[in-house]
Amino acid sequence: MSAARKILLVDDDEDLRGSLQDQLALHDEFDVSVAGTAGKGIEAAKVGHHDLVVFDVGLPDMDGREAVRLLRKGGFKSPIIMLTANDSDADQILGLDAGANDYVTKPFKFAVLLARIRAQLRQHEQSEDAVFQIGPYTFKPASKLLLDEKGGKIRLTEKETAILKYLYRTGDKVVSRETLLHEVWGYNAGVTTHTLETHIYRLRQKIEKDPSNAEILVTETGGYKLTA
Protein backbone atom coordinates (compact mmCIF):
# COMPACT_ATOMS: atom_id res chain seq x y z
CA MET A 1 0.00 0.00 0.00
CA SER A 2 1.11 3.50 -0.65
CA ALA A 3 0.24 5.81 2.21
CA ALA A 4 1.29 8.76 0.05
CA ARG A 5 -0.47 11.98 0.95
CA LYS A 6 -2.27 13.51 -2.01
CA ILE A 7 -1.07 17.07 -2.56
CA LEU A 8 -2.67 19.51 -5.03
CA LEU A 9 -0.57 22.46 -6.27
CA VAL A 10 -2.49 25.40 -7.75
CA ASP A 11 -0.22 28.03 -9.32
CA ASP A 12 -0.16 29.72 -12.73
CA ASP A 13 3.66 30.01 -12.73
CA GLU A 14 4.51 26.98 -14.83
CA ASP A 15 8.19 26.95 -13.84
CA LEU A 16 7.46 27.16 -10.12
CA ARG A 17 4.63 24.65 -10.38
CA GLY A 18 6.83 22.16 -12.23
CA SER A 19 9.74 22.68 -9.87
CA LEU A 20 7.62 22.14 -6.76
CA GLN A 21 5.97 19.10 -8.29
CA ASP A 22 9.36 17.57 -9.12
CA GLN A 23 10.80 18.28 -5.67
CA LEU A 24 7.77 16.92 -3.82
CA ALA A 25 7.75 13.85 -6.07
CA LEU A 26 11.23 12.99 -4.78
CA HIS A 27 9.58 12.21 -1.44
CA ASP A 28 7.67 8.91 -1.45
CA GLU A 29 5.25 10.28 1.13
CA PHE A 30 3.56 12.51 -1.49
CA ASP A 31 1.39 11.96 -4.55
CA VAL A 32 1.30 15.32 -6.36
CA SER A 33 -1.16 16.75 -8.88
CA VAL A 34 -1.25 20.29 -10.30
CA ALA A 35 -3.59 22.95 -11.67
CA GLY A 36 -2.79 26.27 -13.35
CA THR A 37 -5.97 28.23 -12.56
CA ALA A 38 -8.26 28.72 -9.59
CA GLY A 39 -11.16 27.16 -11.49
CA LYS A 40 -9.22 24.00 -12.29
CA GLY A 41 -7.92 23.88 -8.74
CA ILE A 42 -11.41 24.11 -7.24
CA GLU A 43 -12.68 21.42 -9.61
CA ALA A 44 -9.77 19.08 -8.82
CA ALA A 45 -10.26 19.56 -5.08
CA LYS A 46 -13.97 18.77 -5.38
CA VAL A 47 -13.61 15.72 -7.61
CA GLY A 48 -10.90 13.75 -5.82
CA HIS A 49 -9.74 13.49 -2.21
CA HIS A 50 -6.68 15.60 -1.42
CA ASP A 51 -4.85 15.61 1.90
CA LEU A 52 -3.54 19.16 1.39
CA VAL A 53 -3.75 21.96 -1.17
CA VAL A 54 -1.12 24.62 -1.91
CA PHE A 55 -2.94 27.61 -3.43
CA ASP A 56 -1.31 30.67 -4.99
CA VAL A 57 -2.97 34.01 -4.25
CA GLY A 58 -2.29 35.64 -7.63
CA LEU A 59 -4.13 33.47 -10.14
CA PRO A 60 -5.30 34.71 -13.57
CA ASP A 61 -9.00 33.84 -13.26
CA MET A 62 -9.68 34.49 -9.58
CA ASP A 63 -8.01 35.69 -6.39
CA GLY A 64 -6.70 32.58 -4.66
CA ARG A 65 -8.26 33.69 -1.38
CA GLU A 66 -11.69 33.82 -2.97
CA ALA A 67 -11.11 30.32 -4.37
CA VAL A 68 -10.21 29.09 -0.87
CA ARG A 69 -13.34 30.73 0.52
CA LEU A 70 -15.44 28.90 -2.07
CA LEU A 71 -13.77 25.59 -1.25
CA ARG A 72 -14.40 25.99 2.46
CA LYS A 73 -17.99 27.03 1.81
CA GLY A 74 -18.39 23.82 -0.22
CA GLY A 75 -17.22 21.71 2.71
CA PHE A 76 -13.54 21.15 1.84
CA LYS A 77 -11.85 20.17 5.12
CA SER A 78 -8.20 19.40 4.30
CA PRO A 79 -5.48 21.95 5.13
CA ILE A 80 -4.68 24.73 2.64
CA ILE A 81 -1.37 26.60 2.43
CA MET A 82 -1.36 29.86 0.49
CA LEU A 83 1.56 31.23 -1.53
CA THR A 84 1.86 34.99 -1.94
CA ALA A 85 4.32 37.57 -3.16
CA ASN A 86 2.94 40.07 -0.63
CA ASP A 87 4.32 39.70 2.89
CA SER A 88 2.07 42.27 4.56
CA ASP A 89 0.16 41.32 7.70
CA ALA A 90 -3.08 42.48 6.10
CA ASP A 91 -2.57 40.13 3.15
CA GLN A 92 -1.97 37.16 5.43
CA ILE A 93 -4.99 38.01 7.59
CA LEU A 94 -7.20 38.07 4.47
CA GLY A 95 -5.94 34.64 3.48
CA LEU A 96 -6.39 33.14 6.93
CA ASP A 97 -9.86 34.65 7.19
CA ALA A 98 -10.74 33.02 3.87
CA GLY A 99 -9.97 29.62 5.39
CA ALA A 100 -6.27 29.05 4.75
CA ASN A 101 -4.32 27.22 7.45
CA ASP A 102 -0.92 28.71 6.71
CA TYR A 103 0.87 31.27 4.55
CA VAL A 104 4.24 31.11 2.77
CA THR A 105 5.73 34.23 1.20
CA LYS A 106 7.55 34.12 -2.15
CA PRO A 107 10.41 33.71 -2.71
CA PHE A 108 10.79 30.81 -0.30
CA LYS A 109 13.11 27.86 0.21
CA PHE A 110 11.60 24.50 -0.68
CA ALA A 111 12.64 23.13 2.73
CA VAL A 112 10.44 25.75 4.40
CA LEU A 113 7.38 24.83 2.33
CA LEU A 114 8.07 21.12 2.90
CA ALA A 115 8.21 21.66 6.68
CA ARG A 116 4.94 23.63 6.61
CA ILE A 117 3.24 20.91 4.54
CA ARG A 118 4.34 18.17 6.92
CA ALA A 119 3.30 20.21 9.97
CA GLN A 120 -0.18 20.84 8.55
CA LEU A 121 -0.62 17.18 7.61
CA ARG A 122 0.41 16.02 11.09
CA GLN A 123 -1.98 18.45 12.72
CA HIS A 124 -4.86 17.54 10.41
CA GLU A 125 -4.39 13.80 10.90
CA GLN A 126 -5.14 14.27 14.59
CA SER A 127 -8.29 16.30 13.88
CA GLU A 128 -11.93 15.29 13.63
CA ASP A 129 -11.86 16.02 9.89
CA ALA A 130 -9.09 13.57 8.92
CA VAL A 131 -10.00 11.21 6.06
CA PHE A 132 -7.81 8.46 4.55
CA GLN A 133 -8.13 6.11 1.59
CA ILE A 134 -7.65 2.40 2.31
CA GLY A 135 -8.22 0.22 -0.75
CA PRO A 136 -11.78 0.81 -1.96
CA TYR A 137 -12.75 2.44 1.34
CA THR A 138 -12.80 5.99 2.68
CA PHE A 139 -11.59 5.73 6.27
CA LYS A 140 -12.90 8.23 8.84
CA PRO A 141 -11.09 7.46 12.11
CA ALA A 142 -12.91 10.09 14.19
CA SER A 143 -16.25 8.53 13.24
CA LYS A 144 -14.92 4.95 13.43
CA LEU A 145 -16.25 4.40 9.92
CA LEU A 146 -15.28 2.94 6.56
CA LEU A 147 -17.34 4.04 3.56
CA ASP A 148 -17.38 1.80 0.51
CA GLU A 149 -17.50 3.07 -3.08
CA LYS A 150 -21.33 3.11 -3.03
CA GLY A 151 -21.48 5.04 0.22
CA GLY A 152 -22.24 2.01 2.38
CA LYS A 153 -21.06 2.27 5.98
CA ILE A 154 -18.91 -0.23 7.85
CA ARG A 155 -18.79 0.55 11.55
CA LEU A 156 -15.56 -0.14 13.40
CA THR A 157 -14.74 -0.67 17.05
CA GLU A 158 -12.24 1.61 18.77
CA LYS A 159 -9.50 -1.05 18.55
CA GLU A 160 -10.23 -1.83 14.88
CA THR A 161 -9.98 1.89 14.13
CA ALA A 162 -6.67 2.13 15.99
CA ILE A 163 -5.25 -0.90 14.15
CA LEU A 164 -6.14 0.52 10.72
CA LYS A 165 -4.90 3.98 11.63
CA TYR A 166 -1.51 2.72 12.79
CA LEU A 167 -1.03 0.41 9.81
CA TYR A 168 -2.00 3.22 7.43
CA ARG A 169 0.56 5.60 8.94
CA THR A 170 3.37 3.06 8.54
CA GLY A 171 2.73 2.75 4.80
CA ASP A 172 4.01 -0.43 3.16
CA LYS A 173 6.19 -1.48 6.11
CA VAL A 174 5.39 -4.70 7.95
CA VAL A 175 4.35 -4.00 11.55
CA SER A 176 5.19 -6.72 14.06
CA ARG A 177 2.47 -8.13 16.29
CA GLU A 178 4.33 -6.89 19.36
CA THR A 179 4.53 -3.34 18.00
CA LEU A 180 0.87 -3.30 17.05
CA LEU A 181 -0.10 -4.67 20.46
CA HIS A 182 1.86 -1.93 22.20
CA GLU A 183 0.57 0.85 19.94
CA VAL A 184 -3.10 -0.17 20.23
CA TRP A 185 -3.35 -1.62 23.77
CA GLY A 186 -0.33 -0.06 25.45
CA TYR A 187 1.50 -1.87 28.23
CA ASN A 188 -1.29 -4.19 29.33
CA ALA A 189 -0.05 -7.46 30.75
CA GLY A 190 -3.41 -9.11 30.19
CA VAL A 191 -3.32 -8.65 26.43
CA THR A 192 -1.67 -11.27 24.23
CA THR A 193 -1.06 -11.69 20.52
CA HIS A 194 -4.15 -13.91 20.49
CA THR A 195 -6.24 -10.81 21.33
CA LEU A 196 -4.69 -8.97 18.39
CA GLU A 197 -5.23 -11.89 16.03
CA THR A 198 -8.89 -12.04 17.06
CA HIS A 199 -9.32 -8.36 16.20
CA ILE A 200 -7.52 -8.81 12.88
CA TYR A 201 -9.82 -11.74 12.08
CA ARG A 202 -12.95 -9.68 12.84
CA LEU A 203 -11.62 -6.73 10.87
CA ARG A 204 -11.02 -8.92 7.82
CA GLN A 205 -14.60 -10.20 8.05
CA LYS A 206 -15.70 -6.59 7.61
CA ILE A 207 -13.35 -5.32 4.91
CA GLU A 208 -12.15 -8.23 2.77
CA LYS A 209 -14.08 -9.75 -0.16
CA ASP A 210 -12.67 -13.11 0.86
CA PRO A 211 -11.49 -12.94 4.50
CA SER A 212 -9.61 -16.24 4.15
CA ASN A 213 -7.55 -14.75 1.30
CA ALA A 214 -6.87 -11.21 2.50
CA GLU A 215 -5.92 -8.60 -0.10
CA ILE A 216 -6.08 -5.42 1.99
CA LEU A 217 -4.92 -6.33 5.51
CA VAL A 218 -2.33 -9.03 4.86
CA THR A 219 -0.13 -11.20 7.02
CA GLU A 220 3.59 -11.00 6.26
CA THR A 221 6.51 -12.68 7.94
CA GLY A 222 6.65 -11.11 11.35
CA GLY A 223 3.43 -9.13 11.28
CA TYR A 224 0.83 -7.25 9.25
CA LYS A 225 0.56 -4.48 6.68
CA LEU A 226 -1.97 -2.77 4.43
CA THR A 227 -1.43 -3.42 0.72
CA ALA A 228 -4.32 -1.63 -0.98
Side-chain angles (χ1 to χ4, degrees):
M1 185 200 80
S2 171
R5 310 308 192 251
K6 292 185 180 297
I7 308 292
L8 173 63
L9 296 173
V10 187
D11 198 306
D12 64 323
D13 184 332
E14 192 173 343
D15 290 339
L16 176 62
R17 194 172 68 231
S19 173
L20 289 178
Q21 183 177 20
D22 289 345
Q23 290 181 84
L24 285 169
L26 293 174
H27 300 266
D28 291 340
E29 66 197 277
F30 302 122
D31 177 8
V32 187
S33 56
V34 298
T37 66
K40 289 179 179 177
I42 291 171
E43 190 60 32
K46 284 181 178 178
V47 171
H49 170 72
H50 290 88
D51 295 292
L52 181 141
V53 178
V54 178
F55 231 111
D56 186 38
V57 169
L59 294 165
D61 55 333
M62 184 189 302
D63 187 298
R65 290 164 298 204
E66 182 58 30
V68 169
R69 187 176 286 108
L70 289 173
L71 276 179
R72 293 302 191 203
K73 192 174 180 180
F76 187 79
K77 300 290 189 182
S78 297
I80 298 175
I81 297 175
M82 301 216 74
L83 304 179
T84 180
N86 191 335
D87 63 354
S88 72
D89 290 342
D91 196 62
Q92 293 191 27
I93 289 168
L94 285 171
L96 296 171
D97 282 348
N101 299 84
D102 202 355
Y103 235 80
V104 176
T105 305
K106 297 176 180 179
F108 55 83
K109 291 182 178 178
F110 174 73
V112 171
L113 178 62
L114 181 62
R116 299 285 186 90
I117 287 173
R118 285 173 171 162
Q120 288 299 327
L121 287 170
R122 280 196 303 271
Q123 189 172 330
H124 182 70
E125 286 178 1
Q126 301 301 326
S127 77
E128 293 294 308
D129 296 323
V131 176
F132 309 108
Q133 196 69 32
I134 294 179
Y137 302 106
T138 300
F139 178 35
K140 296 187 173 184
S143 305
K144 300 184 181 70
L145 273 181
L146 286 171
L147 302 178
D148 64 26
E149 292 165 315
K150 296 179 180 178
K153 294 180 180 179
I154 298 172
R155 300 199 177 276
L156 303 170
T157 66
E158 184 177 342
K159 298 302 185 190
E160 288 168 350
T161 301
I163 288 168
L164 284 182
K165 195 172 178 182
Y166 189 77
L167 290 175
Y168 178 87
R169 289 173 192 273
T170 55
D172 57 3
K173 296 176 184 175
V174 177
V175 179
S176 72
R177 291 173 177 81
E178 291 72 23
T179 298
L180 206 46
L181 265 177
H182 169 58
E183 291 295 334
V184 176
W185 279 271
Y187 289 108
N188 186 333
V191 178
T192 65
T193 54
H194 176 71
T195 302
L196 172 62
E197 286 160 5
T198 300
H199 279 78
I200 294 289
Y201 172 81
R202 290 174 181 165
L203 195 46
R204 283 175 174 157
Q205 298 297 313
K206 294 181 177 182
I207 68 174
E208 300 283 0
K209 288 181 180 178
D210 177 5
S212 63
N213 185 25
E215 296 180 340
I216 299 173
L217 202 178
V218 301
T219 302
E220 293 276 352
T221 304
Y224 303 102
K225 73 173 184 177
L226 294 174
T227 62

